[in-house]
Amino acid sequence: MLDDSNKPFFKWFVGGKTNIVYNCLDRHAETSRRNKLALMWEGEKGEFRSFSYFALRRETCRFANVLRSLGVQKGDRVTLYMGRIPELVIGMLACARIGAIHSVVYGGFTVEALHERLEDSHSKVLIVADGAYQRGKIVPLKSIADEALQRAASVESVLVVKRTGEPVNMESGRDMWYHELMVLPIAGNACHIEQMDAEDPLFILYTSGTTGKPKAILHTHGGFMVGTYTTLKYVFDIHDEDRYWCAADPGWITGHSYIVYGPLLNGATSFMYEGAPTYPYPNRWWQMVEKYGINILYTAPTAIRGLMRYGENWPNRHDLSSLRLLGSVGEPINPEAWKWYHRVIGKGRCPIMDTWWQTETGMFMITPMPCVALKPGSGTRPFPGVVMDILNEEGKPVAANEEGFLVIKEPWPAMIRTIYKDPERYVQQYWTKYPGVYMTGDSARRDEDGYYWVIGRVDDVLKVSGYRLGTAEIESALVSHPAVAEAAAIGLPHDVKGNAIHTYVILKTGIEKSDKLVDELRAHVAHEMGPIAKPDSIVFVESLPKTRSGKIMRRVLKARALGQEPKDLSTLEE
Ligand code: WTA
């Protein structure tokens, strides 16, 4: 089952033939689940749409035929850039059905982030929405994409999903409307499913690493399928009659694994909501839990902390008795937020599954199961079959309650296979510190009961409102502004967001510092990378602490900002 002849390029289910979409759709559409709801969706304005397994397969097939007619073939990359709408799910499944590799770019990213991902993946097709609703406003996704496309050459066709109906530029010969293509005779209801090898790529998903540009994490049809199916089934104990809501965004791994693939593989009914938790009022989520009878809710600590601020009256106005199980992901959940979630939302009845995992792991790795005794703030222990440890600098397991590097010691089915087009970086990034051991980039400790307590990243990755960002990306967005000579970004603790982004900027000679320039630089980062990357503060400085080899010492900046003494300054240049 496992082929480890070329470590760390592990293979799983070698020789197995499958297509994940067959198990997500056809398997159910041909049986008693044919009329069961696969996807329920509510828009920010309150519209409702739903798809039975039969209907979701039909829409997927139709769109897969459209993609084939545009010349998309097995192995081609297709980028999707949308808000949380059903067409994003249909688009991902349609790609997978014909063996194309999807690359979803989160709708909160903007021009340069999209451009970089289009270019690196060499995507042939971009599927984009005209816009997305966000807190009553419209994010002009198509015009952001137009700007990114001026910088990216590989894209031949742009398929535009009408969501807002706002006027957009349609470039003839390149841009086509999704709804017009979907009614053409080429979009038949049946679509031959591409037979894939278990190890054939399913998708790439860009995520931030320690240095440089975001890297494309590659997942496969076979292993990803087994990992997401199994973990969702056993951890969330999902049943046929459940209504399950993962409130993440499909543009991140949580959405890939646990909005799209995991639930469909399990034949579950999955709910997706387009908007923000507090719009127009802080009861929006609780209203929907009641309205749709949600049984399982999976979200991030930052959302809980954000909702907590508005007090208990908002949730208490709603009947939340349908809830049976709660989940948390994305960053350590502080015990205060855990207890509020447990008491106010779960009414003390619902266990909280605090799932630790990563884009690279594809599936839950450290997680409780409903039968496990919980401790607020701990994900308890590794999922069965997952072998993890906490090591010190020398690679020796640490004693109970000592902090160390969190590592994974044995391969697992849904693991990252490589960094797309950069296998060396894959080896270097994850497998070199301790040979044969996967470095997660997190630090953790293990208590006397063997429970894991994840502390946080030990590298230059930030978790801002649950979103994973690299200091390098924020810095390069700053430096792309004509006034900036050099920049450094660090994360500092923030009550709601987890991390707040603080930056230090050296201006080019002759440029005057001003509050106006601060605003301009913040807006520039939001334009290039996305509003989530907008620095909370910008401080103009004359120099930055660097090593003798010229690397910025962010830990020195961080210690200084926190009023601490920086440790070990031996490598600091004068
Ligand atoms: C952090 C998100 C503590 C961790 C699925 C990891 C967590 C990074 C938890 C991966 C958790 C995720 N408790 N920390 N339950 N879940 N993390 O790739 O630092 O966006 O390395 O995947 O999020 O972020 P990513």
mmCIF file of all heavy atoms in Angstrom, residues 510-529:
data_model
loop_
_atom_site.group_PDB
_atom_site.id
_atom_site.type_symbol
_atom_site.label_atom_id
_atom_site.label_comp_id
_atom_site.label_asym_id
_atom_site.label_seq_id
_atom_site.Cartn_x
_atom_site.Cartn_y
_atom_site.Cartn_z
ATOM 1 N N GLY A 510 15.366 60.595 0.287
ATOM 2 C CA GLY A 510 14.621 61.731 -0.263
ATOM 3 C C GLY A 510 13.124 61.629 -0.057
ATOM 4 O O GLY A 510 12.397 62.584 -0.293
ATOM 5 N N ILE A 511 12.636 60.466 0.404
ATOM 6 C CA ILE A 511 11.188 60.329 0.634
ATOM 7 C C ILE A 511 10.890 60.722 2.085
ATOM 8 O O ILE A 511 11.530 60.227 3.008
ATOM 9 C CB ILE A 511 10.706 58.885 0.374
ATOM 10 C CG1 ILE A 511 11.160 58.382 -0.989
ATOM 11 C CG2 ILE A 511 9.199 58.776 0.591
ATOM 12 C CD1 ILE A 511 10.230 58.595 -2.133
ATOM 13 N N GLU A 512 9.914 61.593 2.228
ATOM 14 C CA GLU A 512 9.531 62.069 3.562
ATOM 15 C C GLU A 512 8.531 61.118 4.200
ATOM 16 O O GLU A 512 7.584 60.689 3.533
ATOM 17 C CB GLU A 512 8.862 63.447 3.439
ATOM 18 C CG GLU A 512 9.823 64.579 3.111
ATOM 19 C CD GLU A 512 10.811 64.842 4.237
ATOM 20 O OE1 GLU A 512 10.375 64.820 5.411
ATOM 21 O OE2 GLU A 512 12.019 65.039 3.942
ATOM 22 N N LYS A 513 8.723 60.821 5.498
ATOM 23 C CA LYS A 513 7.703 60.011 6.161
ATOM 24 C C LYS A 513 6.506 60.875 6.528
ATOM 25 O O LYS A 513 6.667 62.057 6.861
ATOM 26 C CB LYS A 513 8.260 59.289 7.386
ATOM 27 C CG LYS A 513 9.234 60.048 8.227
ATOM 28 C CD LYS A 513 9.750 59.135 9.322
ATOM 29 C CE LYS A 513 11.091 59.615 9.823
ATOM 30 N NZ LYS A 513 11.580 58.977 10.996
ATOM 31 N N SER A 514 5.315 60.248 6.438
ATOM 32 C CA SER A 514 4.099 60.985 6.803
ATOM 33 C C SER A 514 2.986 59.986 7.078
ATOM 34 O O SER A 514 3.069 58.828 6.662
ATOM 35 C CB SER A 514 3.664 61.904 5.653
ATOM 36 O OG SER A 514 3.243 61.103 4.552
ATOM 37 N N ASP A 515 1.955 60.444 7.778
ATOM 38 C CA ASP A 515 0.796 59.579 8.035
ATOM 39 C C ASP A 515 0.114 59.198 6.732
ATOM 40 O O ASP A 515 -0.428 58.109 6.589
ATOM 41 C CB ASP A 515 -0.208 60.293 8.954
ATOM 42 C CG ASP A 515 0.343 60.440 10.368
ATOM 43 O OD1 ASP A 515 1.361 59.772 10.667
ATOM 44 O OD2 ASP A 515 -0.229 61.218 11.149
ATOM 45 N N LYS A 516 0.145 60.124 5.786
ATOM 46 C CA LYS A 516 -0.483 59.857 4.492
ATOM 47 C C LYS A 516 0.222 58.691 3.793
ATOM 48 O O LYS A 516 -0.404 57.827 3.185
ATOM 49 C CB LYS A 516 -0.399 61.121 3.634
ATOM 50 C CG LYS A 516 -1.358 61.108 2.482
ATOM 51 C CD LYS A 516 -1.423 62.462 1.786
ATOM 52 C CE LYS A 516 -1.602 62.271 0.307
ATOM 53 N NZ LYS A 516 -0.351 62.262 -0.450
ATOM 54 N N LEU A 517 1.540 58.669 3.936
ATOM 55 C CA LEU A 517 2.303 57.591 3.316
ATOM 56 C C LEU A 517 1.997 56.246 3.995
ATOM 57 O O LEU A 517 1.926 55.211 3.340
ATOM 58 C CB LEU A 517 3.806 57.907 3.383
ATOM 59 C CG LEU A 517 4.727 56.948 2.632
ATOM 60 C CD1 LEU A 517 4.341 56.805 1.169
ATOM 61 C CD2 LEU A 517 6.178 57.404 2.739
ATOM 62 N N VAL A 518 1.791 56.280 5.303
ATOM 63 C CA VAL A 518 1.409 55.056 6.022
ATOM 64 C C VAL A 518 0.112 54.505 5.415
ATOM 65 O O VAL A 518 0.021 53.320 5.066
ATOM 66 C CB VAL A 518 1.231 55.319 7.534
ATOM 67 C CG1 VAL A 518 0.576 54.121 8.226
ATOM 68 C CG2 VAL A 518 2.577 55.625 8.178
ATOM 69 N N ASP A 519 -0.877 55.374 5.258
ATOM 70 C CA ASP A 519 -2.157 54.941 4.681
ATOM 71 C C ASP A 519 -1.964 54.405 3.268
ATOM 72 O O ASP A 519 -2.558 53.403 2.886
ATOM 73 C CB ASP A 519 -3.157 56.114 4.635
ATOM 74 C CG ASP A 519 -3.543 56.567 6.031
ATOM 75 O OD1 ASP A 519 -3.320 55.798 6.985
ATOM 76 O OD2 ASP A 519 -4.056 57.707 6.165
ATOM 77 N N GLU A 520 -1.119 55.093 2.527
ATOM 78 C CA GLU A 520 -0.893 54.689 1.144
ATOM 79 C C GLU A 520 -0.224 53.312 1.075
ATOM 80 O O GLU A 520 -0.583 52.473 0.254
ATOM 81 C CB GLU A 520 -0.008 55.753 0.487
ATOM 82 C CG GLU A 520 0.033 55.647 -1.024
ATOM 83 C CD GLU A 520 0.940 56.731 -1.616
ATOM 84 O OE1 GLU A 520 0.815 57.899 -1.191
ATOM 85 O OE2 GLU A 520 1.760 56.378 -2.481
ATOM 86 N N LEU A 521 0.723 53.078 1.963
ATOM 87 C CA LEU A 521 1.419 51.785 1.954
ATOM 88 C C LEU A 521 0.492 50.652 2.381
ATOM 89 O O LEU A 521 0.530 49.552 1.822
ATOM 90 C CB LEU A 521 2.644 51.827 2.872
ATOM 91 C CG LEU A 521 3.790 52.736 2.412
ATOM 92 C CD1 LEU A 521 4.928 52.726 3.436
ATOM 93 C CD2 LEU A 521 4.317 52.304 1.046
ATOM 94 N N ARG A 522 -0.341 50.937 3.370
ATOM 95 C CA ARG A 522 -1.296 49.902 3.808
ATOM 96 C C ARG A 522 -2.247 49.571 2.666
ATOM 97 O O ARG A 522 -2.539 48.404 2.390
ATOM 98 C CB ARG A 522 -2.074 50.361 5.042
ATOM 99 C CG ARG A 522 -1.186 50.511 6.280
ATOM 100 C CD ARG A 522 -1.987 50.970 7.484
ATOM 101 N NE ARG A 522 -2.837 49.903 7.983
ATOM 102 C CZ ARG A 522 -4.114 50.052 8.316
ATOM 103 N NH1 ARG A 522 -4.699 51.235 8.229
ATOM 104 N NH2 ARG A 522 -4.824 49.033 8.750
ATOM 105 N N ALA A 523 -2.730 50.606 1.973
ATOM 106 C CA ALA A 523 -3.638 50.389 0.849
ATOM 107 C C ALA A 523 -2.928 49.635 -0.282
ATOM 108 O O ALA A 523 -3.514 48.784 -0.952
ATOM 109 C CB ALA A 523 -4.175 51.724 0.342
ATOM 110 N N HIS A 524 -1.650 49.930 -0.441
ATOM 111 C CA HIS A 524 -0.878 49.263 -1.492
ATOM 112 C C HIS A 524 -0.779 47.747 -1.223
ATOM 113 O O HIS A 524 -0.957 46.939 -2.131
ATOM 114 C CB HIS A 524 0.517 49.893 -1.556
ATOM 115 C CG HIS A 524 1.420 49.249 -2.549
ATOM 116 N ND1 HIS A 524 1.281 49.416 -3.917
ATOM 117 C CD2 HIS A 524 2.468 48.396 -2.388
ATOM 118 C CE1 HIS A 524 2.210 48.720 -4.542
ATOM 119 N NE2 HIS A 524 2.942 48.076 -3.642
ATOM 120 N N VAL A 525 -0.525 47.380 0.021
ATOM 121 C CA VAL A 525 -0.446 45.949 0.364
ATOM 122 C C VAL A 525 -1.803 45.287 0.136
ATOM 123 O O VAL A 525 -1.889 44.182 -0.404
ATOM 124 C CB VAL A 525 0.030 45.742 1.822
ATOM 125 C CG1 VAL A 525 -0.001 44.272 2.203
ATOM 126 C CG2 VAL A 525 1.433 46.308 2.015
ATOM 127 N N ALA A 526 -2.871 45.968 0.535
ATOM 128 C CA ALA A 526 -4.211 45.412 0.335
ATOM 129 C C ALA A 526 -4.495 45.226 -1.151
ATOM 130 O O ALA A 526 -5.095 44.238 -1.569
ATOM 131 C CB ALA A 526 -5.262 46.323 0.962
ATOM 132 N N HIS A 527 -4.035 46.154 -1.967
ATOM 133 C CA HIS A 527 -4.256 46.058 -3.409
ATOM 134 C C HIS A 527 -3.436 44.941 -4.033
ATOM 135 O O HIS A 527 -3.910 44.183 -4.873
ATOM 136 C CB HIS A 527 -3.928 47.400 -4.074
ATOM 137 C CG HIS A 527 -4.087 47.375 -5.562
ATOM 138 N ND1 HIS A 527 -3.035 47.177 -6.423
ATOM 139 C CD2 HIS A 527 -5.187 47.488 -6.341
ATOM 140 C CE1 HIS A 527 -3.481 47.186 -7.671
ATOM 141 N NE2 HIS A 527 -4.788 47.367 -7.646
ATOM 142 N N GLU A 528 -2.195 44.802 -3.622
ATOM 143 C CA GLU A 528 -1.318 43.801 -4.227
ATOM 144 C C GLU A 528 -1.597 42.392 -3.704
ATOM 145 O O GLU A 528 -1.581 41.432 -4.452
ATOM 146 C CB GLU A 528 0.147 44.156 -3.962
ATOM 147 C CG GLU A 528 0.626 45.365 -4.731
ATOM 148 C CD GLU A 528 0.646 45.119 -6.240
ATOM 149 O OE1 GLU A 528 1.325 44.185 -6.684
ATOM 150 O OE2 GLU A 528 -0.030 45.877 -6.976
ATOM 151 N N MET A 529 -1.777 42.278 -2.398
ATOM 152 C CA MET A 529 -1.898 40.943 -1.807
ATOM 153 C C MET A 529 -3.289 40.614 -1.324
ATOM 154 O O MET A 529 -3.739 39.483 -1.424
ATOM 155 C CB MET A 529 -0.940 40.853 -0.629
ATOM 156 C CG MET A 529 0.010 39.699 -0.756
ATOM 157 S SD MET A 529 0.763 39.434 0.830
ATOM 158 C CE MET A 529 0.091 37.851 1.228
#
